[in-house]
């Protein structure tokens, strides 16, 4: 192929991840309610393992299309997993630790990018013979989560509000937070359940019109916009 066509191919390889992320994030809300936070995160590992297989075998099969499909699948996993992970982590943490626990996602992303850059050095996996292995390394965290996550309970908030399972909620709270008096937290969930009874799920456009979350929305918009200016995304 011509040089222009090669540039177009690699542009697809790079940008298709964001398209997959958009598709994944749009489906995360439905999946988190339909299957629960924990099961949805486990399901998100399927496109991750699929992407690792496609990209890892792309050279053996002589197909750059497999890299594009793998990147798309990996993006779908990222869109689903990051969205639902924040929900699960925030809902499983006690109120006083909720902010700190939610920030661990940003820390993990930073560590993941650093590891990716480090593994991509020519002294490690960034050489002609090893790059398929480099592109398949995202299977490792997916396998770790598949092995460990089943031992954790589902989100107490999901069990109480979406499943209407108060006993399951109390059991999950004790497993996560230990023995003690956690009724104040559970009462807050019950109050929230009563407050949203009969309300329809909000759409994205509803967030623009809802004054109750205006400043939170603006803050998140500014932070996410500034994240696009970091060196990793420029590269």
């Amino acid at each position: 192929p011509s040089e222009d066509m090669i540039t177009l191919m690699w542009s697809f390889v790079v940008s298709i991840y964001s398209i997959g992320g958009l598709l994944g994030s749009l489906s995360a809300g439905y999946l988190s309610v339909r299957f629960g936070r924990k099961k949805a995160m486990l399901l998100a590992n399927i496109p991750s393992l699929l992407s690792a297989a496609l990209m890892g075998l792309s050279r053996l099969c002589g197909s750059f299309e497999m890299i594009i499909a793998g990147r798309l699948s990996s993006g779908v996993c990222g869109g689903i997993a990051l969205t639902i992970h924040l929900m699960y982590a925030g809902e499983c943490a006690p109120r006083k630790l909720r902010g700190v626990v939610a920030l661990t996602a940003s820390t993990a992303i930073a560590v993941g990018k650093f590891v990716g850059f480090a593994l991509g050095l020519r002294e490690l996996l960034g050489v002609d013979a090893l790059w398929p292995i480099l592109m398949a390394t995202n299977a490792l965290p997916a396998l770790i989560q598949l092995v460990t996550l089943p031992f954790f309970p589902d989100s107490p908030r999901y069990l109480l509000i979406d499943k209407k399972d108060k006993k399951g909620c109390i059991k999950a709270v004790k497993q996560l937070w230990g023995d003690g008096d956690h009724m104040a937290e559970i009462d807050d969930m019950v109050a929230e359940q009563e407050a949203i009874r009969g309300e329809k799920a909000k759409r994205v456009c509803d967030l623009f019109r809802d004054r109750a979350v205006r400043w939170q929305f603006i803050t998140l918009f500014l932070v996410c916009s500034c994240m696009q200016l970091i060196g990793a995304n420029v590269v």
Side-chain angles (χ1 to χ4, degrees):
S2 65
E3 187 174 341
D4 289 341
M5 182 57 68
I6 291 175
T7 301
L8 180 62
M9 289 177 186
W10 285 112
S11 297
F12 267 104
V13 169
V14 172
S15 60
I16 201 71
Y17 181 88
S18 299
I19 304 299
L22 176 63
L23 296 175
S25 61
L26 288 175
S27 63
Y30 168 78
L31 293 174
S32 66
V33 175
R34 175 70 176 81
F35 299 103
R37 297 4 171 192
K38 186 175 81 169
K39 287 183 180 179
M41 286 197 295
L42 290 172
L43 289 173
N45 291 304
I46 295 175
S48 179
L49 294 173
L50 177 62
S51 72
L54 286 169
M55 293 190 290
L57 297 173
S58 60
R59 180 173 183 171
L60 184 64
C61 298
S63 172
F64 71 88
E65 294 90 349
M66 290 176 66
I67 301 178
I68 295 176
R71 289 276 294 172
L72 176 66
S73 182
S74 184
V76 170
C77 169
I80 296 174
L82 181 58
T83 305
I84 300 179
H85 168 81
L86 289 170
M87 295 171 60
Y88 181 75
E91 292 174 3
C92 287
R95 186 190 304 171
K96 61 182 180 181
L97 298 176
R98 197 164 294 159
V100 176
V101 170
L103 280 175
T104 59
S106 300
T107 306
I109 291 171
V111 171
K113 286 187 174 183
F114 172 77
V115 171
F117 284 133
L119 291 177
L121 293 173
R122 293 190 180 277
E123 291 79 3
L124 296 175
L125 298 178
V127 293
D128 188 52
L130 297 177
W131 66 260
I133 298 175
L134 173 64
M135 299 187 75
T137 52
N138 61 324
L140 184 58
L143 290 172
I144 292 174
Q145 189 183 73
L146 282 173
V147 172
T148 58
L149 189 58
F151 294 98
F152 288 80
D154 215 324
S155 157
R157 182 187 178 281
Y158 165 76
L159 292 171
L160 181 65
I161 295 180
D162 294 310
K163 299 290 289 183
K164 309 295 190 295
D165 183 5
K166 189 171 183 178
K167 289 184 178 179
C169 172
I170 294 173
K171 182 180 178 181
V173 165
K174 288 184 177 180
Q175 184 177 346
L176 289 165
W177 305 344
D179 294 328
D181 186 9
H182 305 298
M183 287 309 299
E185 297 270 1
I186 296 174
D187 290 341
D188 284 344
M189 296 181 202
V190 173
E192 181 182 354
Q193 182 184 26
E194 293 298 325
I196 65 175
R197 189 184 299 276
E199 285 193 13
K200 295 182 179 179
K202 292 185 182 296
R203 297 172 298 174
V204 175
C205 59
D206 295 330
L207 291 176
F208 289 94
R209 297 193 293 262
D210 191 348
R211 292 183 177 273
V213 295
R214 180 67 49 81
W215 283 110
Q216 293 92 323
F217 184 80
I218 291 174
T219 302
L220 285 172
F221 179 81
L222 289 174
V223 171
C224 292
S225 299
C226 291
M227 282 176 63
Q228 305 309 311
L229 303 177
I230 65 174
N233 288 359
V234 173
V235 171

